[in-house]
Amino acid sequence: MEQKNPLVLDVKLTAKDLWKFSMYHSYRGFQGIFSFLFSAAALYVLIATWTTSSRPYRILILVCALMFTVWQPFVLYTKAARQAKKSAIRDGMTLSFSAEGIVVTQGQEKLELLWEDVMVVKRIGKLLIIYMDRIHAYLLPDSVAGEKAPEITALMKENLPPERRKRI
């Protein structure tokens, strides 16, 4: 595919970018609701039974209350930090956006994607997620897109139907 006037971005993801993506997938939908309700219920039980419960019981309920609010985000961050150290992430990639599609270049490898190949694009906070399917996605933080972000968003609005654009 020959791109006319591409918007070229060098994307180097940080552990924080990967962590935000992981948090989004871990806490969206039913799982997020369950995590919140479970933590709130454990905290309520801890407060309600504080004076009548034993120390081991308090510790157990405290661990339950912190499991989804502290422990899981910590584990997700350590996983993201390990992933960010891998060469595929550390070396970064180049994303070229044009009316024809997206070209992804990493090292000597090049992947050409037409807009029809994009399943959905979502914005979560300051992160744009370009899903190719349910498993594969490209992350584009606003810190990388910089002043080109409005142009990229305009390209997406022009080339993707509304049902394949979320919060854009």
Side-chain angles (χ1 to χ4, degrees):
M1 153 181 24
E2 186 174 326
Q3 291 183 306
K4 297 174 188 135
N5 301 321
L7 295 167
V8 180
L9 297 171
D10 290 320
V11 180
K12 288 197 176 198
L13 298 173
T14 64
K16 186 177 179 182
D17 296 327
L18 296 169
W19 178 69
K20 286 179 183 179
F21 179 70
S22 295
M23 288 290 288
Y24 170 72
H25 278 280
S26 292
Y27 287 97
R28 70 176 191 171
F30 178 74
Q31 187 174 352
I33 294 168
F34 172 80
S35 298
F36 173 77
L37 292 176
F38 183 85
S39 296
L43 188 59
Y44 173 78
V45 168
L46 181 65
I47 293 169
T49 63
W50 184 264
T51 57
T52 60
S53 61
S54 65
R55 182 173 290 154
Y57 180 80
R58 288 181 199 156
I59 292 170
L60 176 66
I61 298 301
L62 181 62
V63 167
C64 288
L66 298 178
M67 188 179 337
F68 294 113
T69 56
V70 176
W71 180 251
Q72 187 172 1
F74 173 75
V75 169
L76 289 174
Y77 188 82
T78 57
K79 181 180 174 186
R82 278 194 315 271
Q83 191 176 6
K85 291 179 183 177
K86 292 183 179 181
S87 64
I89 302 294
R90 188 184 64 240
D91 296 344
M93 68 182 76
T94 302
L95 297 177
S96 301
F97 297 88
S98 70
E100 294 76 31
I102 306 168
V103 175
V104 182
T105 310
Q106 188 171 31
Q108 300 300 319
E109 296 183 38
K110 183 177 180 179
L111 177 64
E112 297 178 347
L113 304 163
L114 299 173
W115 286 110
E116 297 86 48
D117 299 329
V118 176
M119 187 174 104
V120 69
V121 177
K122 290 183 181 180
R123 172 166 291 286
I124 55 162
K126 295 183 178 190
L127 185 65
L128 197 62
I129 307 170
I130 305 165
Y131 288 95
M132 306 319 296
D133 54 41
R134 293 180 56 98
I135 299 170
H136 302 97
Y138 295 98
L139 306 180
L140 184 59
D142 284 353
S143 60
V144 171
E147 71 275 352
K148 294 180 183 177
E151 294 174 78
I152 292 169
T153 301
L155 270 173
M156 290 176 179
K157 286 181 177 179
E158 185 179 311
N159 293 290
L160 292 172
E163 63 272 7
R164 291 178 33 210
R165 294 181 273 125
K166 309 292 182 198
R167 293 182 284 268
I168 293 180

